[in-house]
Amino acid sequence: MIGILRGLAVVVEDVESARSLYREGFYGRFLGYDKVKRDEVDRVNAPLVLALYEALYLAERGRLRVMAEGGEEVPPEKLAVLGRSRLKNFDEIYKIYRYFRDLGYVVKSGLKFGALFSVYEKGPGIDHAPMVVVFLEPDKGISATDITRGGRLGHSVKKTFTLATVLKQTGEVTLLGFTWAKL
C-alpha cells in the first residue's frame, strides 16, 4: 500500500487500500468520517488519513510505503526524523503507541477525552475503549490535581485513566492506571 506524506500526516488515497488498512486494525481515519465501524467500511468512499506515528508503525512492518509528494520514497527512518523535528516527545509517544499495538490493542486518538490515546481491545463500534492514556513527560512531575482531574475524566467516561511514560534509563514504557473504587 502507498501513502503520500502531507505535512505531519500520511494519506492513503486509493480507496480499496484505505478500506483494507482500516479493516486490518482500525488504522487512521477516513477523511470526512468519524468512527467508522467495521461493517460500514465498504460504504466509505474517502481517503484514509494516518497520523505520523501510525504511518511509521505500518512502514516499519512493511505494510505501507510512504512517498513524498514529489514521488520519492520516504523510509521509516526519515519519518522518525520528521516526527522528532516537528513534534515534542515524538519518540516517547511513538514508543507508547507501538507498545499497545504490539500487544494487539487498537489505538486511536484520545483528543476528545483530553488524552493522548484511547485504547480498545477490539476496536471502535465493537467495544468501548476501556482505557484513556495520558502522556507523562519523563522527568516531569504530576500534581495531585492532575491525578484527580484524570481520575474524574476516566470515571465520567467509564475508562481507566492511565499515565504512560518512557523511562529515560531503560527506554521502557511504564504505565500507571487509576480506576474509581467503591468503598
Side-chain angles (χ1 to χ4, degrees), residues 14-75:
D14 178 74
V15 173
E16 285 305 316
S17 294
R19 289 174 181 163
S20 176
L21 201 52
Y22 189 82
R23 258 191 234 99
E24 182 180 311
F26 295 98
Y27 292 101
R29 62 176 174 76
F30 288 103
L31 191 61
Y33 292 82
D34 184 41
K35 265 195 184 180
V36 174
K37 296 177 183 174
R38 191 169 271 150
D39 62 346
E40 300 170 338
V41 172
D42 289 331
R43 289 177 276 190
V44 173
N45 193 21
L48 188 69
V49 179
L50 300 166
L52 196 58
Y53 54 81
E54 291 175 301
L56 176 57
Y57 184 82
L58 292 164
E60 285 181 343
R61 278 143 191 81
R63 292 292 300 128
L64 181 71
R65 285 183 56 216
V66 177
M67 310 299 282
E69 290 189 76
E72 65 276 4
E73 186 164 356
V74 181

Side-chain angles (χ1 to χ4, degrees), residues 81-112:
V81 168
L82 174 64
R84 281 183 211 113
S85 72
R86 304 275 301 279
L87 300 168
K88 186 178 178 185
N89 299 307
F90 178 80
D91 287 328
E92 291 84 0
I93 289 167
Y94 177 64
K95 276 187 176 185
I96 293 165
Y97 176 83
R98 186 179 64 205
Y99 173 83
F100 283 111
R101 277 290 182 175
D102 286 350
L103 287 174
Y105 290 100
V106 173
V107 183
K108 303 297 284 178
S109 169
L111 188 60
K112 70 179 173 184

